[in-house]
């Protein structure tokens, strides 16, 4: 079977998916509201899966799945496989316990908004009143002290009056202490009441947390997945051997686990699998309608590593070799502090997990152990163009400071898969979309307005031809995959860069490389005060 993490769909899978799309198109015209609602939810964004499986006689069968849940039907809809574990039965254990946790949420909210809020108001009111008494008496003492000070400065010599002023000061201090003790005593019942209420709230929340964790443990223990040998293992057992230890939410509910489980239960042998995006992108991700995608590594890699045992599966391509170039880097400038390298597309900037040589390693081999050389910034593996490396620790820190303070101007050229004019995109402008890693599907990045790091790109289109548009990018920040996401995201330009295997279309026209090139770089180097400007010719 093809590897679900690295594949091109075979003809049978692609045909099955096109048949599914035709079926969904007909459902949109259905008289049944459930069908129309189902399609509307799909169009909001879902991964759809196709599995071709062979029975004992070698006859092929097609299975379909959607990821997660959909509407009132939950896990079930005609024409799609059942879930691996249906924990959503109305009167089942999970829904019963979940209802109990929902009641706890209501109880906690009512207590916070009712009793606790009232107790907090009473405490605040009495404390403000008592604090006001202390403040008023302190002000009285302050004015009294000012009068005594003025009297002393006027030159009084009467010892009896001096003694009287001392007694007055001592009395006021003692009276203030007595007032503070009375205030503390008056406030104590309200403090005790507030602390008891807070403790009660903490107990309610702890009970909810404990019940929620117990329900999750029950789910993960009872969520059992088969492999091709007929063996069964729970999600808890599968993830116990991983760095995550605990399964993430939704593990086992993606398309691939559903499809494999359904095939195994039928006694069928999986032959080919593919997953396609249907509808609009969700959650800041870049997904294109009808394009196929690999299974996510965060949730699915541990699950599928178990479920595929017993099958003969094609090995994944070494990602470090997938688009590797046979060309070597070229050093276009060198001085005592740094060098400028023209990196070919397909070469890593720094060492990765695979065996491919990076620019860093290439430079180390070139200059030998006597010279400390470090790449000062990075380009994506698939991106070609200018890269700066430094000699020694001091120039490295200087160069990193220039990048950190945005004193290095970088210019990129890209070809996008679309005509910007026909799409109504302004000829020039900027894209301001914060980015964060998609932790469950690395190395993909996504738009994230809540927790993403700022990412700002200026762009200017220079023309279009044969369905492609050429654009100049001037990024102000340097986030991972910034230009690729800003191009492909519907919130950005909405046109992927040609040849982008992560965020673009899977092409069959021979486009093998990413059409993104770091063409220019310029900066003023503080050590010698000279302004440097370098350019690299476009390789596509």
């Amino acid at each position: 079977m093809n590897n679900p993490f690295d594949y091109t769909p075979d003809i049978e899978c692609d045909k099955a998916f096109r048949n599914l799309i035709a079926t969904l198109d007909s459902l949109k015209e259905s008289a049944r509201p459930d069908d129309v609602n189902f399609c509307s939810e799909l169009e909001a964004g879902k991964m759809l899966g196709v599995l071709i499986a062979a029975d004992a006689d070698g006859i092929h069968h097609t299975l379909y799945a959607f990821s997660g849940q959909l509407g009132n039907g939950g896990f079930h809809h005609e024409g799609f496989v059942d879930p691996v574990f249906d924990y959503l039965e109305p009167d089942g254990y999970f829904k019963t316990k979940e209802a109990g946790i929902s009641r706890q949420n209501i109880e906690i909210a009512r207590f916070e908004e009712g009793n606790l809020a009232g107790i907090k108001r009473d405490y605040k009111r009495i404390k403000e009143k008592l604090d006001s008494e202390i403040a008023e008496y302190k002000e009285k003492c302050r004015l009294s002290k000012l009068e005594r000070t003025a009297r002393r400065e006027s030159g009084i010599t009467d010892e009896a009056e001096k003694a009287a002023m001392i007694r007055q000061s001592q009395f006021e201090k003692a009276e203030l202490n007595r007032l503070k003790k009375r205030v503390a005593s008056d406030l104590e019942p309200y403090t005790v009441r507030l602390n008891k209420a807070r403790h009660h709230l903490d107990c309610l929340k702890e009970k909810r947390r404990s019940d929620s964790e117990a329900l999750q443990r029950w789910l993960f223990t009872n969520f059992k997945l088969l492999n091709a040998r007929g063996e069964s293992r729970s999600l808890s057992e599968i993830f116990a051997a991983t760095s995550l230890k605990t399964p993430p939410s939704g593990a086992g509910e993606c398309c691939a686990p559903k499809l494999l489980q359904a095939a195994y239960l039928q006694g069928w042998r999986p032959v080919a699998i593919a997953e396609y995006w249907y509808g609009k992108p969700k959650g800041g991700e870049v997904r294109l309608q009808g394009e196929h995608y690999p299974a996510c590594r965060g949730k699915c890699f541990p699950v599928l590593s178990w479920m595929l045992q017993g099958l003969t599966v094609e090995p994944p391509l070494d990602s470090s070799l997938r688009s590797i170039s046979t060309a070597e880097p070229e050093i276009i400038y060198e001085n005592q502090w740094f060098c400028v390298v023209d990196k070919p597309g397909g070469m890593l900037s720094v060492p990765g997990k695979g065996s491919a040589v990076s620019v860093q390693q290439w430079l180390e081999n070139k200059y030998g152990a006597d010279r400390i050389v470090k790449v000062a910034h990075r380009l994506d593996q698939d991106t070609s163009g200018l890269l700066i490396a430094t000699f020694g620790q001091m120039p490295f820190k200087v160069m990193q400071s220039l990048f950190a303070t945005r004193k290095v101007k970088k210019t990129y050229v890209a070809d996008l898969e679309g005509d910007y004019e026909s799409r109504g995109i302004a000829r020039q402008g900027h894209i301001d979309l914060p980015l964060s890693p998609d932790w469950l599907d690395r190395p993909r990045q996504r738009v994230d307005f809540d927790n993403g790091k700022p990412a700002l790109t200026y762009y200017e289109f220079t023309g279009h031809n044969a369905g492609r548009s050429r654009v100049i990018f001037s990024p102000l920040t340097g986030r991972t995959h910034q230009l690729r996401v800003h191009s492909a995201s519907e919130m950005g330009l909405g046109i992927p860069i040609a040849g982008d295997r992560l965020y673009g279309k899977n092409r069959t026209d021979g486009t093998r490389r990413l059409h993104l090139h770091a063409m220019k770089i310029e900066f003023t180097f503080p050590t010698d005060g000279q302004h440097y400007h370098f350019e690299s010719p476009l390789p596509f």
Side-chain angles (χ1 to χ4, degrees):
M1 193 185 83
N2 62 291
N3 193 300
F5 297 101
D6 191 358
Y7 66 94
T8 298
D10 67 10
I11 295 174
E12 201 169 355
C13 280
D14 258 342
K15 181 180 177 182
F17 179 66
R18 304 309 158 194
N19 290 339
L20 175 59
I21 297 300
T23 301
L24 294 176
D25 288 341
S26 65
L27 285 180
K28 295 175 188 176
E29 308 301 325
S30 171
R32 293 172 52 189
D34 287 349
D35 290 337
V36 177
N37 292 338
F38 176 74
C39 290
S40 295
E41 289 192 56
L42 282 181
E43 287 175 345
K46 268 291 179 185
M47 198 69 81
L48 299 178
V50 176
L51 177 70
I52 309 299
D55 63 21
D57 297 322
I59 299 173
H60 282 195
H61 302 269
T62 303
L63 299 174
Y64 297 107
F66 55 82
S67 61
Q69 307 170 31
L70 276 174
N72 296 331
F75 289 126
H76 302 279
H77 195 276
E78 184 180 352
F80 292 86
V81 300
D82 290 331
V84 175
F85 178 42
D86 188 358
Y87 54 86
L88 297 181
E89 296 175 354
D91 298 323
Y93 182 88
F94 186 88
K95 295 300 289 184
T96 301
K97 291 295 183 180
E98 187 181 51
I101 294 172
S102 295
R103 288 193 293 271
Q104 289 175 340
N105 290 333
I106 294 171
E107 182 182 1
I108 288 171
R110 285 177 176 171
F111 183 76
E112 286 182 311
E113 297 166 5
N115 289 359
L116 181 59
I119 292 170
K120 284 182 176 179
R121 284 194 299 270
D122 290 344
Y123 176 84
K124 182 180 179 182
R125 175 177 51 79
I126 194 67
K127 189 174 187 305
E128 287 177 349
K129 177 178 178 297
L130 296 174
D131 286 347
S132 177
E133 288 186 37
I134 292 176
E136 287 177 5
Y137 191 76
K138 282 183 175 180
E139 178 63 14
K140 178 181 176 182
C141 293
R142 187 185 72 83
L143 295 175
S144 178
K145 182 179 180 180
L146 288 174
E147 290 180 4
R148 291 194 298 273
T149 300
R151 184 65 182 145
R152 290 191 186 97
E153 290 175 351
S154 67
I156 61 166
T157 55
D158 190 318
E159 293 301 321
E161 186 176 358
K162 289 181 180 179
M165 285 193 292
I166 292 172
R167 288 194 300 274
Q168 182 186 23
S169 175
Q170 292 172 339
F171 173 79
E172 288 174 349
K173 289 178 181 178
E175 188 67 12
L176 179 59
N177 287 332
R178 286 190 289 271
L179 177 59
K180 288 180 178 179
K181 288 180 180 180
R182 179 180 65 78
V183 164
S185 177
D186 290 348
L187 188 60
E188 185 178 9
Y190 295 90
T191 303
V192 170
R193 191 176 169 212
L194 179 58
N195 289 338
K196 284 183 177 179
R198 284 174 171 166
H199 177 69
H200 178 65
L201 178 63
D202 289 342
C203 290
L204 291 176
K205 289 183 175 181
E206 175 59 26
K207 177 69 165 55
R208 178 181 63 183
R209 185 197 63 78
S210 176
D211 288 353
S212 295
E213 288 186 356
L215 185 57
Q216 284 296 308
R217 285 195 299 271
W218 176 88
L219 173 61
F220 297 148
T221 301
N222 287 275
F223 201 116
K224 297 183 182 294
L225 300 117
L226 298 169
N227 64 19
R229 292 193 286 262
E231 300 165 333
S232 178
R233 186 172 287 183
S234 70
L235 278 175
S236 294
E237 293 170 321
I238 290 171
F239 277 88
T242 70
S243 59
L244 292 175
K245 302 302 181 186
T246 301
S249 177
E253 297 177 22
C254 297
C255 294
K258 288 183 179 182
L259 291 167
L260 291 172
Q261 187 88 348
Y264 294 152
L265 290 173
Q266 291 281 356
W268 297 342
R269 177 178 56 85
V271 174
I273 193 169
E275 296 182 65
Y276 302 82
W277 185 257
Y278 184 83
K280 299 176 181 178
K282 299 174 71 173
E285 294 182 344
V286 177
R287 302 287 185 186
L288 301 180
Q289 163 81 10
E291 291 297 318
H292 76 269
Y293 292 91
C296 65
R297 302 192 71 83
K299 293 180 184 179
C300 287
F301 189 80
V303 171
L304 297 185
S305 294
W306 163 254
M307 298 189 78
L308 293 172
Q309 290 184 23
L311 283 180
T312 301
V313 180
E314 292 178 357
L317 293 173
D318 184 343
S319 61
S320 67
L321 300 175
R322 176 182 309 211
S323 59
I324 190 166
S325 172
T326 56
E328 281 198 345
E330 178 186 356
I331 295 177
I332 65 171
Y333 177 82
E334 177 184 344
N335 62 23
Q336 66 191 89
W337 301 294
F338 63 84
C339 65
V340 180
V341 182
D342 198 344
K343 182 184 88 68
M347 190 175 196
L348 293 166
S349 296
V350 296
K353 293 181 180 179
S355 56
V357 175
S358 66
V359 172
Q360 174 73 47
Q361 293 164 314
W362 184 83
L363 289 170
E364 289 172 352
N365 292 336
K366 176 178 176 60
Y367 289 107
D370 295 336
R371 200 167 192 182
I372 300 173
V373 57
K374 296 179 74 173
V375 172
H377 62 117
R378 299 183 186 185
L379 295 177
D380 291 346
Q381 177 182 355
D382 294 342
T383 304
S384 58
L386 299 177
L387 198 61
I388 297 173
T390 57
F391 303 122
Q393 193 62 28
M394 185 277 291
F396 179 71
K397 289 183 177 180
V398 170
M399 193 63 71
Q400 284 211 313
S401 176
L402 291 178
F403 278 102
T405 54
R406 299 175 180 174
K407 293 179 180 177
V408 178
K409 183 179 179 181
K410 297 170 289 182
T411 304
Y412 294 75
V413 177
D415 288 333
L416 307 190
E417 291 280 19
D419 181 342
Y420 79 94
E421 283 191 341
S422 66
R423 293 168 182 251
I425 301 173
R427 190 180 68 82
Q428 60 182 1
H430 71 278
I431 306 158
D432 187 1
L433 296 174
L435 304 177
S436 70
D438 187 340
W439 297 109
L440 293 176
D441 200 8
R442 302 295 299 272
R444 296 178 65 87
Q445 307 290 308
R446 63 191 185 93
V447 177
D448 184 353
F449 290 101
D450 295 324
N451 302 302
K453 292 182 178 180
L456 179 61
T457 303
Y458 290 90
Y459 73 88
E460 181 177 359
F461 286 101
T462 59
H464 58 85
N465 183 43
R468 284 186 176 175
S469 299
R470 178 150 293 180
V471 64
I472 305 294
F473 286 126
S474 301
L476 196 62
T477 51
R479 309 298 175 206
T480 302
H481 295 178
Q482 175 174 322
L483 301 181
R484 297 166 72 173
V485 176
H486 279 184
S487 294
S489 172
E490 287 190 348
M491 291 178 276
L493 295 177
I495 318 177
I497 297 175
D500 193 337
R501 56 191 170 93
L502 279 181
Y503 307 102
K505 295 183 177 181
N506 295 287
R507 297 183 59 88
T508 58
D509 64 355
T511 301
R512 291 190 172 274
R513 66 151 294 159
L514 179 71
H515 280 226
L516 177 63
H517 183 68
M519 183 179 68
K520 296 179 185 178
I521 194 164
E522 56 183 300
F523 56 91
T524 299
F525 197 63
T527 306
D528 62 359
Q530 184 174 335
H531 185 77
Y532 291 93
H533 177 109
F534 304 100
E535 293 193 23
S536 166
L538 206 59
F540 51 82

